[in-house]
Amino acid sequence: MANRNLYNISYNFDKFLNDEGLTSQKERIDEIILTHSDKQGSLIPVLQEVQSSIKYLPPVVQDYIAMGLKIPSSDVFGVVSFYSFFSMIPRGENIIRVCLGTACYVKGAGKIVEVMERGLGVKVEEGGTTEDRKFTLDVVRCLGACGLAPVVIINNEDTYGMLEPGKSMDILKKY
């Protein structure tokens, strides 16, 4: 019975990679799991590296990681669902974070979200990822840059402050 379950997990994982066009990532994911499999406390680093490779951690991937690390799937799900930096839904190549903290909101961040939702054809509350997975629009409570309000950060690298709603789509052209 246990071998059949392991076979199903592997089969479902391979099918997922094939359906998503990610078959080239299987070897990398197996390497990540193998590298960490004998280390205590390795779950979070494995999840971070796998998410970096395939952009999100749906249940089928969580089951595969659990199998590889020889831990219960419920442990993996518990960690993925607890930490906000893990995602179980597809994320875009470029992550746009709009600050909705008090200073940003008062200075028009809500309007920036509306303009970007319209321009990208997404809704933040529905996952905010474009169909081509080029962009994911996300909102955060604070980016710690109140003096630059309203603030948008893209890919945790590029910060755009004092952004006007009418110019918010212009910043996406370089991505």
Side-chain angles (χ1 to χ4, degrees):
M1 183 68 170
N3 285 341
R4 184 165 175 73
N5 190 34
L6 295 178
Y7 170 79
N8 286 338
I9 290 170
S10 291
Y11 174 81
N12 291 338
F13 180 69
D14 289 343
K15 183 178 179 334
F16 162 78
L17 291 177
N18 188 56
D19 292 349
E20 290 289 310
L22 296 168
T23 53
S24 63
Q25 295 298 317
K26 179 147 184 358
E27 192 174 308
R28 174 74 182 121
I29 292 167
D30 287 341
E31 179 185 312
I32 291 166
I33 293 169
L34 184 62
T35 300
H36 294 282
S37 64
D38 60 347
K39 297 175 188 161
Q40 191 76 350
S42 62
L43 179 56
I44 289 178
V46 168
L47 292 170
Q48 288 173 319
E49 289 182 44
V50 171
Q51 181 169 282
S52 178
S53 291
I54 62 173
K55 304 295 182 211
Y56 70 116
L57 300 167
V60 66
V61 173
Q62 294 175 45
D63 290 342
Y64 190 77
I65 291 169
M67 180 183 75
L69 294 178
K70 297 177 178 65
I71 61 175
S73 291
S74 59
D75 289 358
V76 177
F77 178 79
V79 170
V80 171
S81 61
F82 180 78
Y83 291 104
S84 64
F85 49 83
F86 293 126
S87 178
M88 289 188 259
I89 58 174
R91 306 291 282 167
E93 179 185 330
N94 299 287
I95 309 294
I96 306 159
R97 289 188 171 87
V98 181
C99 180
L100 288 183
T102 303
C104 289
Y105 190 80
V106 167
K107 291 192 174 188
K111 293 283 185 210
I112 291 171
V113 172
E114 289 173 19
V115 167
M116 288 189 159
E117 282 180 328
R118 239 184 349 269
L120 294 170
V122 300
K123 290 285 185 194
V124 170
E125 57 272 357
E126 294 171 2
T129 299
T130 58
E131 215 171 283
D132 63 0
R133 292 195 190 161
K134 186 93 171 137
F135 296 100
T136 293
L137 180 61
D138 217 349
V139 295
V140 295
R141 290 293 148 217
C142 186
L143 290 170
C146 301
L148 296 175
V151 178
V152 172
I153 291 184
I154 301 178
N155 298 330
N156 290 329
E157 295 174 2
D158 302 325
T159 304
Y160 299 90
M162 299 181 195
L163 191 58
E164 296 174 30
K167 298 186 185 222
S168 57
M169 287 302 293
D170 294 342
I171 65 173
L172 302 182
K173 289 178 182 165
K174 82 177 219 182
Y175 302 95

